[in-house]
Amino acid sequence: VCNFMSHEKCLKNVKIPCSCIAPSLVRVPVAHCFGPPGHYKRKFCTVCRKSLESPAFRCEVCELHVHTDCILFACSDCRQCHQDGHQDTYHHHWREGNLSSSARCEVCKKTCGSSEVLSGMRCEWCGILAHAACYIIVTPECTFGRLRNMILPPSCMQLFSRNFSKMHCFRISENLQTEADEDDDVDGSTQGSAKDVQISTDSSKQTLKIFDGNDAVKRNQFRLISVPRIVKNEEVVEAALRAYYINDNQQDYELQTFTQQALLSDDVINRNDAAEDSNLGSVFRESIPEAWIIRAKPKDEEVIRIYPAWLKVGMAYVSLRINKDSTTQTVIKEVLPLLGRQTESLQNFKLVEVLMGSKQVQRMVLDNQELILNRLKDIRKTSIRQMNQTRFYIVENSKSIVQVNLFIGGLPPQLSPEEYTNILKDELAIKTNVVSVSHVYQAQGAVVLEISCFSEAERIYMLAKDTTVNDKPLNTVVIPEVMASKIPQNCCPLLVFVNPKSGGLKGRDLLYSFRKLLNPHQVFELTNGGPLPGFHTFSKVPSFRVLVCGGDGTVGWVLGALEEIRHKLACSEPSVAILPLGTGNDLGRVLRWGAGYSGEDPYSILVSVDEADDVLMDRWTILLDAEEPAEGGENGVAEPEPPKIVQMNNYCGLGIDAELSLDFHHAREEEPGKFNSRFHNKGVYVKVGLQKISHTRNLHKDIKLQVDQHEVELPSIEGLIFINIPSWGSGADLWGSESDNRFEKPRIDDGLLEVVGVTGVVHMGQVQGGFRSGIRIAQGSYFRVTLLKPIPVQVDGEPWIQAPGQIIISAAGPKVHMLKKSKQKQKKTGS
């Protein structure tokens, strides 16, 4: 059925379940989370086991790869990343194949990967590898491996997600997802089946379209089978069942034919009646019908499996024979004594039908009077395959408490909780009896809603996506709840922020890698609501670390958000590591994380973060107070601009340095698509710089500088730069290494800023090349700069034109804890 290959001598060791029985072996059904289709080289489909040559899907949470037409047959056996009432001890989550050819088996230490076939097993949590014959020897409990101190165990995470797709739960961007879904309905079946069409070029064979039920007919989703021109009906039925990965007895099924006209009408005409049955050979001649549909023959009684939902471990079920009079109630009555619960009232239990679809696991409570045999008949009529993926659970009737947490950002800042509630009532028509505001972030204009009704939560989520308040779109994020009391003692989980727009646009692959290596609930995409949803999720965690994947601007954004909500966190001073994705990455260089990410193994990056050293770093507040009024005030009277406050981590530049940044910024805004490589970005900087080479040096005439209350005489310069870290403009040392009796040796935690001048573009180029350093002007902890005319200013790479007025730079509150890559680790990776 599934193309599994084995040596004859190895057959006794085969432990891999075939695609046709895999759904029945799933312990807890968990749907997959498929991203947009893409090209995945040297990977194999886990359903049909063939290589992925055409665009295919992969799960964003586990190592599952499938063809577009195999996606419907993928087993709903994804990683269980949050609690839904199951066990606290976790077993290995085994996934077959797609290992590198150098992979080694944990048990026998021989290679277990292959680039030619699907082979070997890998645990999705701890990452251990084993042969298909060896993995059953491994102890079943999973310890989460080398990264266990950084992973939030699923038993600590709670998320009520009945109506939300996995994409919503793991906050995965859906901009590409919608296109993929449309493809999958129409082309999914025909595209992949084209592989099968090529088989039947032989004139002695014929290709038939096979539908597996009414749903497939409506969607025009069929599988193609190739059979000899002269063939028995049973053989066609067997081939049709195999095409749908069904290993039932073919005697229980029959084929019906229908024409193109019938395909368009909802009612499928049954032409396969008894009269034609005797003469079936004649059907397969030149006048073959366009398509066939598999139908299950009606039965008077059947055996069904009932799974008790309260069992924590194992696959135990009860088999029960039902007839045409069996109702939900009689089934419950018969099952309870078999499970040792005969003393309890029938009213305390319900029967739940669970459809284990690869994209969504759907649950439906059956009515007490429903005839079970009719229910099975309806499922098979809709889709034969669906019957393979349907289970019946007996569930206790407990009053389950529903609590969905939704983060809503983009609201006007600095309002009271009552005002926020009124805005949400007006814009989203929230029902206050089931919706309450649990947290308010006034400075950021964000609230967290606690919702006790699934349908209301989904309605608010979908509606908020299309709502704007004061011309600003709202953003909504489904937030999991972290149960801090259940976090293991020595665990210091890692909160990961990724900016997919930084630098060379490597963010998407990193998001995928980190979701796979950690719990996906720990990974946040910064384009989806910023850093606040992540910090809110971790607000009760007693100790955690942060990894920021992005440029220096992204790091500043995250540190700024941390500064603002520090007082609301149980761990108010988490240490921050950097994975540099930007163009300059000066802070990343100083903390030894490198000049920029160039495809290192994400696993080794996480190990480096775990082993990194904690260091302190100063942050600075810059107050910009423009004295010149802004243009276009009311009644022709100009209003002065309100003072602006920005935070600084790396450096602040005035003059030529900021002017280059501003020109680069404008170029990137005009054609953002071109700025996706570090090399190109630096090329644009050089081009912009060459245009400024003939500028006159008179910045010293347009500004005045005061350091720690003392006036400082400025030399003839074109740019003035305040530096907090010993790296500027992509790794250049602007201060220089020569000793100087006038100044202390710079450090990132000494509470002092260094002030340096540059005489123009040529001087800046020489500093970049390492031939010269800047002109040392001052060192201090409090600065006042007076601008006499509009001047370009940039802070950590964010440039603008500043109107005449005052700029005051002073230390910003407590120092921040950063993580510096340890030297031993650097040597190891270097070698």
Side-chain angles (χ1 to χ4, degrees), residues 384-624:
I384 296 280
R385 171 187 51 81
Q386 199 170 304
M387 191 63 234
N388 236 15
Q389 298 178 327
T390 302
R391 257 189 210 172
F392 295 97
Y393 281 84
I394 183 162
V395 179
E396 289 179 272
N397 254 334
S398 57
K399 266 282 174 211
S400 58
I401 301 156
V402 174
Q403 185 195 311
V404 182
N405 295 319
L406 276 191
F407 174 94
I408 298 192
L411 294 162
Q414 307 298 356
L415 301 181
S416 67
E418 293 73 32
E419 289 172 301
Y420 284 125
T421 308
N422 291 335
I423 287 176
L424 294 173
K425 268 187 195 166
D426 295 344
E427 299 290 342
L428 305 175
I430 62 168
K431 299 171 184 163
T432 44
N433 58 329
V434 290
V435 182
S436 60
V437 174
S438 64
H439 294 79
V440 175
Y441 295 99
Q442 289 167 311
Q444 295 82 5
V447 297
V448 178
L449 300 182
E450 216 167 78
I451 305 165
S452 59
C453 166
F454 280 125
S455 52
E456 176 70 356
E458 190 176 44
R459 185 190 68 80
I460 292 172
Y461 181 87
M462 300 315 284
L463 185 58
K465 279 179 173 300
D466 305 318
T467 304
T468 53
V469 175
N470 296 356
D471 296 329
K472 202 175 168 192
L474 297 183
N475 56 62
T476 51
V477 185
V478 181
I479 296 278
E481 186 188 347
V482 180
M483 294 177 285
S485 58
K486 292 197 174 186
I487 297 175
Q489 271 190 329
N490 54 353
C491 178
C492 180
L494 186 69
L495 170 59
V496 182
F497 291 113
V498 181
N499 186 351
K501 292 183 178 175
S502 287
L505 301 176
K506 294 190 175 76
R508 180 165 156 65
D509 287 337
L510 280 171
L511 277 165
Y512 170 68
S513 299
F514 288 136
R515 282 195 196 106
K516 230 174 53 184
L517 291 165
L518 302 167
N519 189 326
H521 288 304
Q522 295 172 243
V523 183
F524 287 78
E525 195 176 331
L526 285 168
T527 48
N528 188 4
L532 197 55
F535 284 127
H536 173 78
T537 302
F538 274 60
S539 58
K540 294 177 188 166
V541 178
S543 168
F544 69 92
R545 289 174 156 194
V546 179
L547 171 63
V548 183
C549 309
D552 288 344
T554 306
V555 177
W557 182 18
V558 172
L559 290 176
L562 175 60
E563 186 65 46
E564 286 174 356
I565 70 152
R566 189 189 291 272
H567 59 286
K568 294 191 177 182
L569 303 178
C571 170
S572 60
E573 296 185 342
S575 303
V576 180
I578 300 167
L579 177 55
L581 298 185
T583 306
N585 305 317
D586 288 293
L587 189 52
R589 290 167 198 262
V590 169
L591 297 171
R592 300 202 195 110
W593 294 107
Y597 177 67
S598 53
E600 295 95 312
D601 176 23
Y603 175 81
S604 62
I605 290 166
L606 292 178
V607 173
S608 301
V609 172
D610 196 35
E611 295 174 353
D613 305 318
D614 203 359
V615 295
L616 290 170
M617 185 181 82
D618 298 322
R619 288 186 81 232
W620 299 82
T621 298
I622 302 178
L623 173 73
L624 303 133

Side-chain angles (χ1 to χ4, degrees), residues 85 307-313 335-336 339 341 349 394-396:
Y307 293 78
W310 53 82
L311 283 187
K312 303 275 186 211
V313 183
V335 165
L336 286 177
L339 294 168
R341 309 285 288 256
F349 297 92
I394 183 162
V395 179
E396 289 179 272

Side-chain angles (χ1 to χ4, degrees), residues 226-436:
S226 180
V227 291
R229 291 213 172 267
I230 300 165
V231 67
K232 288 182 182 168
N233 186 32
E234 293 81 36
E235 290 170 32
V236 183
V237 173
E238 191 184 344
L241 290 174
R242 194 182 300 133
Y244 280 98
Y245 298 94
I246 295 166
N247 67 335
D248 295 357
N249 186 347
Q250 69 253 34
Q251 304 296 328
D252 297 338
Y253 295 90
E254 60 188 6
L255 281 176
Q256 298 174 359
T257 71
F258 56 92
T259 58
Q260 198 63 40
Q261 291 77 27
L263 197 146
L264 298 172
S265 73
D266 272 358
D267 187 34
V268 176
I269 304 161
N270 177 4
R271 303 204 173 159
N272 193 18
D273 51 59
E276 253 183 53
D277 213 77
S278 55
N279 190 18
L280 213 112
S282 64
V283 177
F284 292 93
R285 275 208 222 102
E286 294 309 307
S287 58
I288 54 165
E290 288 184 35
W292 295 76
I293 185 163
I294 321 176
R295 291 286 190 210
K297 291 178 183 173
K299 292 182 185 175
D300 289 336
E301 52 176 44
E302 276 193 59
V303 174
I304 62 165
R305 293 172 172 184
I306 307 287
Y307 293 78
W310 53 82
L311 283 187
K312 303 275 186 211
V313 183
M315 286 300 310
Y317 57 83
V318 172
S319 295
L320 201 67
R321 189 171 288 281
I322 56 164
N323 56 34
K324 54 182 187 296
D325 300 323
S326 302
T327 63
T328 304
Q329 202 156 18
T330 60
V331 166
I332 294 175
K333 194 174 182 179
E334 285 178 54
V335 165
L336 286 177
L338 299 172
L339 294 168
R341 309 285 288 256
Q342 57 267 47
T343 54
E344 299 179 48
S345 162
L346 295 184
Q347 310 305 317
N348 297 343
F349 297 92
K350 58 190 175 189
L351 199 62
V352 178
E353 179 191 304
V354 176
L355 170 60
M356 310 188 302
S358 62
K359 290 184 175 181
Q360 205 168 11
V361 174
Q362 296 167 320
R363 293 171 170 82
M364 189 175 85
V365 179
L366 296 180
D367 184 67
N368 272 348
Q369 301 312 314
E370 178 132 27
L371 291 166
I372 300 295
L373 212 55
N374 287 356
R375 184 78 204 126
L376 300 183
K377 204 182 286 179
D378 288 347
I379 295 169
R380 289 197 179 107
K381 200 179 260 184
T382 306
S383 161
I384 296 280
R385 171 187 51 81
Q386 199 170 304
M387 191 63 234
N388 236 15
Q389 298 178 327
T390 302
R391 257 189 210 172
F392 295 97
Y393 281 84
I394 183 162
V395 179
E396 289 179 272
N397 254 334
S398 57
K399 266 282 174 211
S400 58
I401 301 156
V402 174
Q403 185 195 311
V404 182
N405 295 319
L406 276 191
F407 174 94
I408 298 192
L411 294 162
Q414 307 298 356
L415 301 181
S416 67
E418 293 73 32
E419 289 172 301
Y420 284 125
T421 308
N422 291 335
I423 287 176
L424 294 173
K425 268 187 195 166
D426 295 344
E427 299 290 342
L428 305 175
I430 62 168
K431 299 171 184 163
T432 44
N433 58 329
V434 290
V435 182
S436 60

Side-chain angles (χ1 to χ4, degrees), residues 90-94 136-142:
Y90 270 79
H91 288 178
H92 290 295
H93 190 108
W94 295 107
I136 47 162
I137 304 167
V138 179
T139 50
E141 285 76 32
C142 181

